[in-house]
Amino acid sequence: MLDLFTIFSKGGIVLWCFQSTNQVFTSSVNALIRNVILQERTGVHNFDHDGLTLQYKLDNEFDLVFVVAYQKILQLSYVDKFLNDVHLEFRDKYKNDLADGRYFQEFDFVDRFNATLQAAEQWGKNQAKAPKAMRTFEQSNKSKKTVASMIERKGEEKKQKKKEVNFSEEPPKTPPSPKENNHVIDEDVIAANRAKFAQKMNKKKTETKKSPKPSEKAGKKPRIWDLGGTNKDLETLERTTDKPEDIKSHFTPDTEIVGLMKGVIKDLEVESSSDEEYDEEETPNQQTNQKPSSRGGMFSIFKGLVGSKNLTAADMQPALDKMKDHLIAKNVAADIAIKLCESVALKLEGKVLGTFESIASTVKSTLTESLVQILSPKRRVDILRDCMEAQRSGRPYVMTFCGVNGVGKSTNLAKICFWLIENNMRVLIAACDTFRAGAVEQLRTHMRHLNALHPPERHGGRQMVQLYEKGYGKDAAGIAMEAIKYATDSKFDVVLIDTAGRMQDNEPLMRALTKLIKVNEPDLVLFVGEALVGNEAVDQLVKFNQALADYSSSSNPHIIDGIVLTKFDTIDDKVGAAISMTYITGQPIVFVGTGQTYTDLKALNAKAVVHSLMK
């Protein structure tokens, strides 16, 4: 039983609607538009919202969307066939009106809709009742055998045994052919050459004399480095546990980086080193003077496919296959690449091409628009503004960093801390990584360096960065709670919570992370991921989100709010991990880490990343 069926244009005009209940489906349809259609996720055929399953079909020729909704607990096998049939019926009846753009009229479609629905329901019942038909004898493999092939004869077995080769007996000698004589001569020549070469090697060995052995074996001496120092120098090295106050005197801050990160973070500029270019526009003079290049891009072999016709899946399949391989080569996860291709196919199927429009350029432009749309934030991301709002309300702005081991959580936390200090924010770092040895010491070193770059004298005697630590082996959620309370009492503006790295399959550690987030309710949960991974990024994000939702007792669990993409300067133009991470969660990439210094923090530029990806 269908609850809703509606037809509307991509501009938002509802052409026809059917409802079997009094329930309001506006929120569900809007969620489908917002989370699937507008986010270029049209490769997803089913969408669940508030106990409903929504399926849709796009008509790209007339820019229409056909949506059907039914209860999630129902298993309706005829919905796909019904959508296709209704789509064809509506097009056939109102093709001329749709071509002229007459959307504001009464569409009398009730009779055809009911007839199509009844036919589809009957088809579904027949498919459920009808057992699988058995194959006839003519369809089986046995019918293809002849009677003669199934008869066994004893005489034939004896003949076959006689024909078997006995390897113990010598084969009959036959006179050698001229080719074989030549082969024998060649082997003799090769043997003679080998003998001569062996004689020469023996002469060289006798001529070489062995070096005399030394009378006394010299002991192995340690290598002395130019800047290694002596043992006395090693004794004078300071120890952080004994003399922590002496570190400031040894650290010489690079004051040139101070003041470079005031205001909004600059966009990331991606430059591709690839030599291949895709169908760049040329002037008429260049086209006449230059010969057609044999290299081209991944779409060069499809330039000749032009014409004024409706695009079909068969027409786009070669270009889509090439596009999928290209995306995977650029480090996009394989599942995401397949879904992107399906989304492009659904978006273009039925679209009319112009006379001078090629399939290659159309597919490329559509893919580029989809990727830019995916990478563009779906909500406002302004951390400084949120920090100021929290400051006016008398509480600190809390950010939690989570991720797997070794991705650079502590390092990028220090970069974000430096950016906040540059914008006159007092920051408290909560050392909640109570598992990894050296985690607290690493944060303590960052704190001292940041305070050396921004001493209290520049900020009216205020210490801009402090570290809240309770040692190792303690409850991370409790330390975070105490740090937030301390920050509130001490008038800190921001609290950065550093958590221990954990694998996405480690259930006890994932439960501990869920507890930390649920108890402390941070304003922003950032997942720190590497730009080096492809399929692994999808697995990490999916399981982190799933664990935060499953292990939380809340009806509205707090999952990942944003992504910090690290080691972006190590991947050249293989920037596909950014696409994979954003596509999975729908959350924006807030920060991009590109280097080792505190200023190596950028904001993601969607167009630059997509341009590098399409190279």
Side-chain angles (χ1 to χ4, degrees), residues 241-255:
T241 56
D242 299 331
K243 296 181 292 182
E245 66 278 359
D246 295 339
I247 293 182
K248 293 183 180 179
S249 61
H250 291 281
F251 175 67
T252 56
D254 184 9
T255 56

Side-chain angles (χ1 to χ4, degrees), residues 206-272:
T206 56
E207 291 175 359
T208 57
K209 295 180 180 180
K210 296 182 179 179
S211 60
K213 296 182 179 179
S215 57
E216 295 181 0
K217 292 184 178 179
K220 188 175 181 180
K221 297 180 180 180
R223 184 172 182 178
I224 299 175
W225 299 91
D226 295 337
L227 302 177
T230 62
N231 292 332
K232 293 182 179 180
D233 297 332
L234 295 176
E235 295 176 358
T236 60
L237 288 176
E238 55 86 21
R239 298 291 186 268
T240 57
T241 56
D242 299 331
K243 296 181 292 182
E245 66 278 359
D246 295 339
I247 293 182
K248 293 183 180 179
S249 61
H250 291 281
F251 175 67
T252 56
D254 184 9
T255 56
E256 294 181 358
I257 66 175
V258 177
L260 296 179
M261 299 189 68
K262 290 184 178 180
V264 182
I265 298 178
K266 296 181 180 179
D267 288 339
L268 176 70
E269 296 181 0
V270 182
E271 294 183 0
S272 174

Side-chain angles (χ1 to χ4, degrees), residues 428-442:
L428 179 67
I429 301 176
C432 295
D433 185 356
T434 60
F435 179 77
R436 177 173 64 90
V440 179
E441 287 76 11
Q442 182 182 5

Side-chain angles (χ1 to χ4, degrees), residues 386-558:
D386 295 339
C387 292
M388 292 177 183
E389 290 179 358
Q391 187 179 20
R392 284 193 291 268
S393 61
R395 65 174 184 86
Y397 185 81
V398 182
M399 298 168 59
T400 301
F401 296 80
C402 63
V404 299
N405 307 78
V407 295
K409 292 186 295 298
S410 301
T411 303
N412 286 272
L413 181 146
K415 293 180 183 180
I416 296 172
C417 182
F418 178 74
W419 171 62
L420 292 170
I421 299 170
E422 290 272 285
N423 290 276
N424 202 28
M425 295 286 177
R426 288 190 70 203
V427 181
L428 179 67
I429 301 176
C432 295
D433 185 356
T434 60
F435 179 77
R436 177 173 64 90
V440 179
E441 287 76 11
Q442 182 182 5
L443 292 177
R444 188 184 298 127
T445 303
H446 282 303
M447 177 198 70
R448 289 167 178 157
H449 289 185
L450 291 171
N451 282 324
L453 291 171
H454 283 273
E457 295 79 16
R458 291 187 178 181
H459 301 275
R462 297 187 306 165
Q463 186 177 358
M464 299 305 292
V465 188
Q466 287 189 24
L467 178 66
Y468 191 90
E469 56 170 307
K470 290 294 182 180
Y472 295 97
K474 304 296 179 59
D475 182 28
I479 296 175
M481 180 182 292
E482 294 175 5
I484 295 173
K485 184 178 180 182
Y486 176 79
T488 305
D489 297 337
S490 302
K491 304 299 181 182
F492 279 90
D493 301 321
V494 183
V495 177
L496 303 181
I497 301 176
D498 183 33
T499 62
R502 65 205 73 208
M503 296 306 294
Q504 62 270 21
D505 297 320
N506 194 325
E507 181 178 346
L509 292 180
M510 293 306 300
R511 287 184 180 275
L513 178 63
T514 307
K515 175 185 174 183
L516 186 148
I517 294 175
K518 184 178 183 301
V519 169
N520 297 285
E521 296 181 355
D523 297 286
L524 194 66
V525 177
L526 295 178
F527 176 83
V528 185
E530 288 181 331
L532 303 171
V533 294
N535 291 324
E536 184 66 17
V538 176
D539 186 62
Q540 291 172 4
L541 272 171
V542 169
K543 290 185 177 178
F544 260 82
N545 259 337
Q546 192 65 38
L548 293 178
D550 292 343
Y551 301 145
S552 177
S553 59
S554 175
S555 58
N556 188 19
H558 194 159

